[in-house]
Structure formats: structure tokens, C-alpha cells
Amino acid sequence: MKSFGVSLATAAVDLSDEEKKMAARKASGEGDEGSPSLTAEEREVLGGLDSRLFGFVSFHEDGARTKTLLGKAVRCYESLILKAEGKVESDFFCQLGHFNLLLEDYSKALSAYQRYYSLQADYWKNAAFLYGLGLVYFYYNAFHWAIKAFQDVLYVDPSFCRAKEIHLRLGLMFKVNTDYDSSLKHFQLALIDCNPCTLSSAEIQFHIAHLYETQRKYHSAKQAYEQLLQTENLPAQVKATVLQQLGWMHHNMDLVGDKATQESYAIQYLQKSLETDPNSGQSWYFLGRCYSSIGKVQDAFISYRQSIDKSEASADTWCSIGVLYQQQNQPMDALQAYICAVQLDHGHAAAWMDLGTLYESCNQPQDAIKCYLNATRSKSCSNTSILAARIKFLQAQLCNLPQGSLQNKTKLLPSIEEAWSLPIPAELTSRQGAMNTAQQNGSDNWNSSQTVSHHPVQQEVHSWCLTPQKLQHLEQLRANRDNLNPSQKLVLEQLESQFVLMQQQMRQKGFAQQNTLTLPHNHTNLTSSTEEPWRKQLSNSAQGLHKGQSSHLAGPNDEQPLFSTGTSQYHQAASTGIQNQNGRCTLPSNSLPQRDAVNHLSSHIATSGGQQGVTFTKESEPSRNRPLVPETSRHAGDTSNSCADVKRLSNHVHQVMADAVSSPNHGDSISPNLLFADNPQLSALLIGKANDNVGTGTCDKVNNIHPAIHTKTDNSVASSPSSAISTATPSPKSTEQISVTSLNSPHSGLHTINGEGLDNSQNSAKVDLPLLSHKSTPQIIPSMSVSIYPSSTEVLKTCRNLGKNGLSNSRILLDKCPPPRPPTSPYPPLPKDKLNPPTPSIYLENKRDAFFPPLHQFCTNPKNPVTVIRGLAGALKLDLGLFSTKTLVEANNEHMVEVRTQLLQPADENWDPTGTKKIWRCESNSSHTTIAKYAQYQASSFQESLREENEKRTQHKDHSDNESTSSDNSGRRRKGPFKTIKFGTNIDLSDNKKWKLQLHELTKLPAFVRVISAGNLLSHVGHTILGMNTVQLHMKVPGSRTPGHQENNNFCSVNINIGPGDCEWFVVPEDYWGVLNDFCEKNNLNFLMSSWWPNLEDLYEANVPVYRFIQRPGDLVWINAGTVHWVQAIGWCNNIAWNVGPLTACQYKLAVERYEWNKLQSVKSVVPMIHLSWNIARNIKVSDPKLFEMIKYCLLKILKQCQTLKEALLSAGKEVVWHGRTNEEPAHYCSICEVEVFNLLFVSNESNIQKTYIVHCQDCARKTSGNLENFVVLEQYKMEDLMQVYDQFTLAPSLSTTSS
């Protein structure tokens, strides 16, 4: 990876003054005797250093002085923290976090950042802090928290100077989490940004191409790879990797011609790749696979041998060698190769299956069964059912054999137990020896029994006893076995062997009876049963990188070790470390030498079989070239076999958890909670612990705090800037203090320092601390200092007094609310008998009932998440036949229909395609057809069902009983594959000429449910939003699914069942959408964009109420604002649906909250809320005070933003060109990031000349052209017109006031 040699001075200048968020305070200039102090010059240099320089400051040569200065600053701060007994300003900890981050001391950085978070109520305003915290979480592979931190940065400061780095990392993390659409969007956002980055544009383009390959869009991937090869001055490593990927794709996919042609292309690409990088073991392995497939056995052997010589020993390579030996009828050689494969990777399903086949061919069924069983235990096994059948067959054969016949028969091969003990081939041992030698360069030897510690424990360490370092490595490697690289797997194998020996010795010596652990430095024994949230993320891998798989065991038959619950008991035998909350031993942070080598981050993505795995590898030598694509698990018959890595993010961006365990010099980094292990007093202060008052048995929990967990009061009220003034809420500071109380301690009080609360400690005498001097930033007016009722003239005058901050201020200064967060589950939880509430239903008898005003009030009442209006069609005499399939075909038979291909499943269940487990992901592939063709399918489906029904009647009744029993038994495997069905959806009925009769019929409906009405907010958008303020039709067969979702921008929806069949609905109140969002995250799904079908068992376990009801023909279902719902057709039916926006404060508030949440999640808001708010102000007289205040507040913010931005542009010499608007012109969105752009449109010069008007927001425009020289700024509204609308929008008297 490139390392940008940005000088410190230049980098400091790049970070403009207004970006420096932290307050500054001068130091005394002199420290106490023996304590370090900083000179004025040093403080000035440090003032320009924060997280934004991470990866852009070199500590070699001239940068060595900077590193020394940072170390001095850290020591100075630590000393002063001790002297002040922790009573320092919050910014002090933020700066300390930045310095430790730049020094790559991640555990200390995390501790300092979290201390800052606990003290600073409005921490979310500090983009540099959020960015630094995100980098630390990224390092620790805590993707869940890293994503939240990075999203917060972009939300609070869209023009953040390191936005490109953020988009790059978000792209990588979403790629690992299989959220491919989000990944692609962030990679593209990184690609268009012209700012410096730790990856080159070519490397980002490679990731985009590999993303297509991962999604199995092979033709798109091939095109992207080939286009990348045309790039001038393409780095050799990227070129070699691209050629390697193209070769492997041609080997496996039908991209060109027949099989012979494909293999020819594959070999050519791989040979070209090896010409560019002859040391790529992966390319040699792929080439061997290609030669093997065309029968060139000798060439295949040569290539495999080269692969072993050039890279770490690979289980794939040895498995392939075994296949070749078996094909050549050399069973003993094949056995040895397979044993090498499974010893390198205990979970290598292909090797176990091939080994079983080998034993079976040699008439050794008992060994074959053992191998097949090991294959079925592997996570990567894709044909478990076939193996299970084979195992049963072999077991039946064994039962039928005469007793003793197997014992008397001569075995051609050693048994699996004997083979496991065979010596490893010389090729492997020599390679391993070379690897160990390489690892010793600049680092401790893995096998060394010596540990370096400044405070050795006086205890005999036996030669057979594993050191704490090795024990920690063993536990971490076991937990992450599936994500290890080959070298780590070999190390794991060695450690497991030593561990077994240690078990035996300890049983003899009686070490297992020791129940105490001597801790150096009088450290508290941190064995609290409550793990910290971030540590849980690392240990159980909730981010989706590691799946929490149980480690494979060190034996050919997966024997359980004697103490299989873990190694915690054996930590006591080697008590030279500190036990953390996970029961792992870790060395003091200064016990292992730090190496100054360049550290590359590689995210190894293995996509075999569609499964994702990642290994982040840290190299020990800067000169060593590492391939972009690592060894991946593949074998004959693989259907998907792309591979790539995240390749060298920066020389300062470390590998994450998967490889942290393999690097001996990072013993401190593995345990971020360890804090400053060499200074317990400082450690205690940093986590808010009172040295005098906290006993040895207590454990402070400041590190439990995360910026992602900051919701303190009712989320639905205060989570949006637009709603901040509509309700009375505590100030941010007081609210944050409540949060600190609840988050930091199980006790009710705040943390105390010397017996005083944190707030009281502010009043005590403080040491003069060397807080760095920063230039003052422009004053930000408090949120309530500007009334929402002054005239527009006063507002703009106030704006001018705020100062001109350049063009980057897209945030609205009045915003004082933190980034939006999903609501927590309502408390207290509902009792179990209330989790299936009755669905609110209204039965209509006549037209008068339909137009009765209380019906409108009942439906829009927030307490009713859903209302079913029964008999509506009959009461209003609606002609539903106008929407029947027959009528639709007669009206417009060639009209376009979107088709979703789905699996027919029970309505209350969702299984994976194999039918083995319940999942949340709901797969459906999209295509298109016409109404006539879908009508034909719908009819044929009905006829086929009739035939099947008649056949069932002739069958025995017990058969159907068994079917229903198996259907209800969630623990049993589903019988047979699921039937494929097609769902015709999103059929547009907006054209009044084509669908005049149908649309006219809907005008019979009550006003509050009509498509167009004065009281419908969506009727005031001013342009068409398909499916929202227009009608959509859905044509269904039984099993057609509309997956779980909330409506766009939380608007209400209306759905009428045309019939003739029924639909089943599942509904969850809006208050619980945060719980469903959490479930989606746990299942690697995007709540907003993915297709998901909730598992009802999960919801009931989480105390989430679910309304469940049947919608019959003629029934209207009203979905209230924000309600989560999913629907499945029971019979053959058509439905019509659209959205409605009631003129209520609740609807507007939820719409704006979702608008802000979409912005945080980088998702386009289909409803342009800014544009809509101004149209509401023009068109509607609002009498609801809450609704009026929220709309007026929105107008105020936008008016101020337009004025501030326009003045900044003019002051910078950028002309603003009048453009105006046409009638029914849609609202504008940024063509890159998809945020709404109001009034001032940034259009490229070329687009402006061609009159295509491709719009950018100001932030994206500046990323592509720093000084906007390539853009024209078009103005659509005169400020005088906006001021007039703002002034004329006043609170109208309510009807009750008028009548009185």
C-alpha cells in the first residue's frame, strides 16, 4: 500500500482551524520534580496532531522526532492525571486518545476515548474523536461499533477531511458483512474523492471488481477486471492479482466458449500473473488446478510444489495433491497428502471427504465413516445429506459383516489414528522451519519459553508449561480458527499439541487444584461475569467476521480434551500475566518489544460456496510483497471461488483481531481493557476508579460505554433535530449524566473520585495541565437562542453574525441533537400472554359508516399500529372487478410487471434453501415480464394446484398428517426442496390515461385514505413518487411474500385485497423497530435495504408483540406511521396499495426522523422532506401547535443554511447563477451520495452545457473538485421568496377556537 509522505506541517495546515474541536488550555511549562513537561514549541506542534493524521504521518527518519514527542506527551499526561487524581477536563482524555492512536497503542487509545465519552455530554459533536474511536474499533475487528462511529462522523460533518478513509473502511466492513449494496456505494464514494487516501484508486477499483465477483455477477466482474488492466501505470501487485482472479474465474465459470477454451484462457491469465509476481503461491496453486483438470498431471505436481515453496503451506494444495495421487493409484501418497491437509485445517470438508473416499476404495469402511463424520462437522460442508446417507449405508454394511472379518483382513492403509501420527513430509517441515525463522526476525519466537516482564512473578515455570502469551494465543486462535491464515493454523496445531502435554503433566503434578492467581502490581482480579459490550463483540464476533464457531479439536476424530471448557484453569500454572474478564492471561503492556516494521492490513475474503471469511494479516517485513488475494479454501467442484483481500490499507492501519493473536509483539493490543498495566494507579484513574475507595473485589465499568449507546430518554421524541423543540426534554448535559450513571455502574450513584462525584470534582483544585492550545472556533449559537418565531429578516441577520466558515458547513448550526438512534425496546416488557394482541378491526355496514369522522381518528391514533376495515368494498359498492387479472389483461396486457422469484414456505417460517435451519434472510431474485404473461402463470399455477389437490385426495390420509407434523416440527429437516413461485409486484397504475376507470373508482373512498386529497401530505410533494402518491398493483399466487419493512419515510399505507384469495399479515408496532433492526444486524442484514422475514420465535423471546390477521377480499388494511409489517398470500389474489400522509405531528415527526436515519445510513429518502416542508408551508394552514413548530423549525434551519452557504460561496468568489424551477419539477438529489439538495444545486460544467443538470451536493462537489472550478452553482429560489413563505407560515386558529 502507498504511504503518503505528508509532512507534519503540511498535514497540520490541511486540518483547517474550524475543524479543531477541542478546547485548549495552557500548561504551566514546568512539571514537578521528576515528571516530564512540555515546552511551548512542543505544545504548538502537538496542537496539530489528532486522529485525522492517522496513517499520514511517518515515524521514520524525520518523523522519529514526532514519535518521540508523542511518547513524551503521553508520559506527561499520564503523570498529570495521577497528580490530579483524575480531575481533569474531558478534552484532556480525548487528546490522550489521539496521541496513543498515532502511536498505535490501541488499548490505551480506547480507554482514553471511552473516558472522554463518559465525561463529555456532547461527544458526538467532536468528529475527530468519533473518527479515532472508529479506527480503534476497526483495528479490533469490532465492525458493528466501527460502522456506527464512522457513520456518526459523516453525519455530523459530511465534509470531514478523512471522509475518503471512512468510505473505504465502510466499504470493506460491509463487504465482509455481505451487505454488498452498501459496500459498493461506499467504495464508489471513496473512488470519486480526490483527497489523499491510504489505498490507490486502482486498489479501490479492484475491490469494486471483486465485489461483483463475490456477488456472483461474473460478467460484471470480468468487465471491471479487464477495464482495470487498461489503467496506465497499474501497480504490479494489483496487476498480478487481477490476472489471477481472471484466470480463476475462467477456470470455474462459463465465461467464454467451451471448457477447453476456458481452461486455455485460465492458464494464460495465471501464467501472465506469475510473470508479474512469480512468488504468488496462490497463483501457482490455481495453475496446478487448471493443469489437473486437463490431465497434465506432471505440470500440476510441479505447480503444487511451487505453491508450497512460495507461500505458507495450504490445506487446499495438499488436498489437491492427494487427489492427483489418488488418480494415479498411489493410495499411500494420497493418504499422506490428505492427512497434511486436515492437520493444517481440521475443518477442511473436502479433504475429509476425499480421505473417506480413499479409505472406502481400500475397503476400510470404519475409517471412511470417521472421515465422513468429520466432514459433516465442518462449517464448510455443503452436502451433509449425501454424506449422512453414505454413513448410514456403510454402517449397515458393517452390521451385516461376519464378526471378526475386518480384524482378519489385511489393511492396505494405516488407520486414521495411525495415519495421524505419521511424520509430516519434508516439504512441509522445511517450509514451516523457514516460516518460523522469518517470524523470529524482529519479534519474539513463538516457541520461546521465555517471557519478558518488568515484574516477574517468583514462581517456577516448568519446561512443559505454556506461557501466558502462548495460552492467550491458543485461545484466540481456537476462537478464530476458520479465519486464520495457514501459518497461524500451523502455530495453532503446535500449541494444541503442547497444551495436551501440559494437561497430562498438570494432572500428575496437581496443578489443576490451584484456585488462585497471583497478579503483579496488585491488580484487581477482573473476573466479573459481565463482559464489556465491546469485548463481547470481539469474543463472540457479533460483527459477522467470525461466526462464533467452536474450535476444531486437536485429534483425528475430534476427541474432546479433558478440560474442554477452556484454558482458564491452566492460566494459574503460568501466572506471569494478568487475567482479564475473559479469563485470558495477558502480559503487561510493556512486556513485549514493539517492532517498527511496516504493518499492512489485508482482509482475506474467501468466497468459496458463497461464504465469507476474513483474515487480517500483519507482515513483519516492509520489503515483503504480499498478494492481494490469499490462500482460500477451494476444491474440485467449487461453484464460487473468487478470493481477494483488503490489501494494505496503510502502513499505520493494523490488522484486526484475527491476526493480532499471531503477532507476539501485540500482547497489549489484544486486551484493550488492560489499560496501562505497567501503571495501575493511572489505569485506575483512567477508568474512573478511586484508588482510595475502590476495593480489590470491585470492577469499574467505564469501558462499557459506547458512543452507539447514548439514548437516554424517549427516542421517538428527541432523536431528530426537527422534533427537538416539539417536546420538553432535558438538556444534553443533564441527560448525559443520567446515562453515565446507568452505563458505568450497576449501582445507582455516579463514579466517585476520593469520595466525590464527578461533578463535584470540578470544584476542587486542579493541576495546571498542558492542554494544547488550539485556535478558537467560530461560536455556535445554542439551539434555543434563536426563536422559531422571529421574522426571516432577523433570522438572516443572525446568520450573518455567525461568521463565514467556508463552503464545508453543511450541518445546520441549530442542530443540537445527537445522531439518530433506533429506539430501545419499551420498558417494562410485555408479559408473554400479551405478545399476540388482537388486531384492531372496524366492520362497515354502509357508506355512512365509512365516512364517519371517528374512523379517521381511530386509524391515525398512534396507539393503533394497524387497523383492518372489514367490508369496505361492499359498504362503498366498489367495483373490485376493475382490478381483477382478467380486466387488467384486457386493459393493458403489455404493461410491465416486476417479478420476484421466491421459495414457497409456511407463512410463519423462513428456512434456508436446504431446509436445515430457520433464517431471517429472505431470498428473492428480480426479473420482469408483462401482465399478460404473469396472468398466464397465475392461471396455470391455479390449475396445477387443483390437480395436486385431486391427487392428494386419492392418497392415504396418514401421508398428509405426517406432512403437517414435519411442517410444525422446527427441529426436523425439511423434506425435499422448496417449490419455486413467482410474485408479480410493483405494477405501476399511475397513468391516468391507461387506468382511468380504475383510478376513478378509488375516488369513492373516504378522503383520509384517498390517493390524492388536501389532507394528504404526499399530495403536496408536487411531483410523482411511484408507489407512494400513486397506486401500485400486486399480483400473487399462494406463498408470495412482501418481506419485512417500514414504509418509505414512515408514511402510512393503504392496502386493499381484490381477491379472490386471502392474505396473512404480521405487524409489529413502531416502538419495536429498533429491536428488529438489532436482529437484522445480528443476521448480517440491512434493516432498510435487505430482504428479511422475521423468525417469530426470536421476536417472542425478545418480548416483541406481533399482530397477526387475515385480510379477506374487500378488506382495507391501514398501516399506521412507522409500523413494521410483512405479508404472505394464502391464495390467488391481487392487491392495490399506496401511501398516505395524515396531517399530524406524529406523522411528520416520524417522517423527519427516518429522513435523518436514512442520511446516517447513507440511504436515499424517497420523500424529499425539505422540499415537502416548504410546499406544506405554501399550501396548508396548520392549526396543530406541535406540527406547526416542527415545520417552522425545519424552515428556519433550511433558510439559514441557504443564506450561510450562499454568502460563503460569494465571499469565496464563486458565482451563483439563477436557474429557477419548472412546474412539477422533481426534488433534486445528489447523484453521488443521494442526499436531498435544496435550492443551491452544484452542477458540473459539462452537465450544465449539455443541459442534463447532473446535481451534486456541495460536499461531493468539493471532493471531486476542491475549489469548485469544475462546477456551476444554480439557484432555484430567490431568498426573498423563501423569506416570504417563512414569514407567512403562521399558526392557524384551531376549529374549536374558531367555533367558540
Side-chain angles (χ1 to χ4, degrees), residues 1115-1135:
D1115 290 350
L1116 182 149
V1117 174
W1118 170 277
I1119 293 294
N1120 220 346
T1123 297
V1124 187
H1125 56 287
W1126 56 102
V1127 189
Q1128 177 157 321
I1130 298 175
W1132 290 261
C1133 60
N1134 293 346
N1135 291 67

Side-chain angles (χ1 to χ4, degrees), residues 114 137 142 144-145 530-543 581 701-706 709 743:
Q114 291 183 325
Y137 282 138
H144 176 78
W145 299 111
T530 306
E531 289 189 270
E532 300 178 1
W534 74 266
R535 189 177 295 284
K536 290 182 180 179
Q537 302 300 326
L538 299 183
S539 61
N540 64 15
S541 304
Q543 299 76 30
Q581 290 188 6
K701 307 190 78 61
V702 168
N703 283 347
N704 286 12
I705 301 174
H706 296 277
I709 308 175
L743 287 174

Side-chain angles (χ1 to χ4, degrees), residues 992-1263:
N992 195 47
K993 294 179 180 178
K994 288 184 177 181
W995 310 103
K996 183 176 181 180
L997 293 176
Q998 286 78 6
L999 296 178
H1000 182 266
E1001 191 69 14
L1002 296 180
T1003 60
K1004 296 179 180 179
L1005 293 169
F1008 79 96
V1009 295
R1010 286 181 196 160
V1011 183
I1012 299 174
S1013 69
N1016 181 357
L1017 293 177
L1018 294 175
S1019 297
H1020 297 277
V1021 174
H1023 60 85
T1024 296
I1025 304 177
L1026 293 178
M1028 294 204 67
N1029 55 13
T1030 66
V1031 181
Q1032 276 190 337
L1033 173 76
H1034 308 278
M1035 303 175 71
K1036 304 178 180 180
V1037 298
S1040 297
R1041 286 183 162 182
T1042 301
H1045 68 288
Q1046 290 172 300
E1047 296 295 321
N1048 289 320
N1049 285 92
N1050 281 335
F1051 278 87
C1052 301
S1053 78
V1054 173
N1055 186 294
I1056 300 175
N1057 185 7
I1058 305 301
D1062 298 339
C1063 290
E1064 184 168 12
W1065 288 66
F1066 302 83
V1067 169
V1068 169
E1070 186 272 338
D1071 293 346
Y1072 292 88
W1073 80 264
V1075 180
L1076 273 76
N1077 178 75
D1078 291 341
F1079 275 119
C1080 286
E1081 289 183 347
K1082 291 176 184 177
N1083 288 275
N1084 277 346
L1085 294 167
N1086 187 315
F1087 177 82
L1088 297 176
M1089 305 301 293
S1090 297
S1091 180
W1092 44 271
W1093 193 266
N1095 184 344
L1096 295 181
E1097 296 171 2
D1098 290 343
L1099 298 185
Y1100 293 142
E1101 187 177 346
N1103 295 304
V1104 176
V1106 179
Y1107 295 82
R1108 184 173 179 178
F1109 60 91
I1110 302 297
Q1111 180 194 26
R1112 297 182 176 87
D1115 290 350
L1116 182 149
V1117 174
W1118 170 277
I1119 293 294
N1120 220 346
T1123 297
V1124 187
H1125 56 287
W1126 56 102
V1127 189
Q1128 177 157 321
I1130 298 175
W1132 290 261
C1133 60
N1134 293 346
N1135 291 67
I1136 52 174
W1138 59 92
N1139 290 102
V1140 174
L1143 195 59
T1144 64
C1146 177
Q1147 174 64 88
Y1148 185 84
K1149 178 174 74 70
L1150 289 177
V1152 173
E1153 285 180 353
R1154 179 47 50 89
Y1155 183 87
E1156 295 299 315
W1157 175 253
N1158 287 346
K1159 190 187 301 181
L1160 180 75
Q1161 298 293 314
S1162 300
V1163 172
K1164 180 180 180 179
S1165 283
V1166 177
V1167 181
M1169 290 304 299
I1170 296 175
H1171 175 83
L1172 176 59
S1173 298
W1174 283 96
N1175 282 354
I1176 293 172
R1178 291 186 184 95
N1179 302 337
I1180 301 177
K1181 293 294 184 181
V1182 177
S1183 59
D1184 183 341
K1186 286 187 176 180
L1187 176 61
F1188 169 77
E1189 288 180 353
M1190 287 189 287
I1191 297 175
K1192 189 81 171 180
Y1193 181 70
C1194 178
L1195 301 182
L1196 171 62
K1197 294 193 300 179
I1198 302 307
L1199 185 67
K1200 188 164 62 63
Q1201 178 182 336
C1202 290
Q1203 175 69 14
T1204 305
L1205 178 58
K1206 185 175 179 179
E1207 290 191 354
L1209 288 167
L1210 295 175
S1211 66
K1214 189 66 180 177
E1215 181 184 5
V1216 177
V1217 180
W1218 170 250
H1219 184 67
R1221 282 182 63 86
T1222 60
N1223 290 334
E1224 298 186 357
E1225 180 179 345
H1228 293 282
Y1229 293 86
C1230 176
S1231 60
I1232 296 175
C1233 69
E1234 297 185 306
V1235 300
E1236 183 183 357
V1237 183
F1238 180 76
N1239 189 22
L1240 298 175
L1241 313 179
F1242 293 76
V1243 177
S1244 65
N1245 293 332
E1246 181 181 359
S1247 174
N1248 186 50
I1249 294 172
Q1250 297 175 354
K1251 306 299 181 183
T1252 54
Y1253 303 118
I1254 299 176
V1255 175
H1256 294 66
C1257 68
Q1258 59 151 332
D1259 295 306
C1260 289
R1262 295 189 66 209
K1263 288 172 185 175

Side-chain angles (χ1 to χ4, degrees), residues 377-395:
R377 296 187 184 113
S378 171
K379 298 286 185 180
S380 61
C381 184
S382 59
N383 47 4
T384 308
S385 58
I386 299 175
L387 286 174
R390 194 64 191 166
I391 291 169
K392 287 183 179 179
F393 174 77
L394 292 176
Q395 288 172 339

Side-chain angles (χ1 to χ4, degrees), residues 445-465:
N445 187 346
W446 275 73
N447 297 319
S448 172
S449 60
Q450 302 290 327
T451 58
V452 182
S453 175
H454 292 284
H455 302 274
V457 178
Q458 299 301 319
Q459 180 176 341
E460 178 186 4
V461 179
H462 296 269
S463 61
W464 45 261
C465 183

Side-chain angles (χ1 to χ4, degrees), residues 348-359:
H348 201 289
W352 282 118
M353 285 189 289
D354 289 337
L355 188 53
T357 303
L358 177 64
Y359 274 122

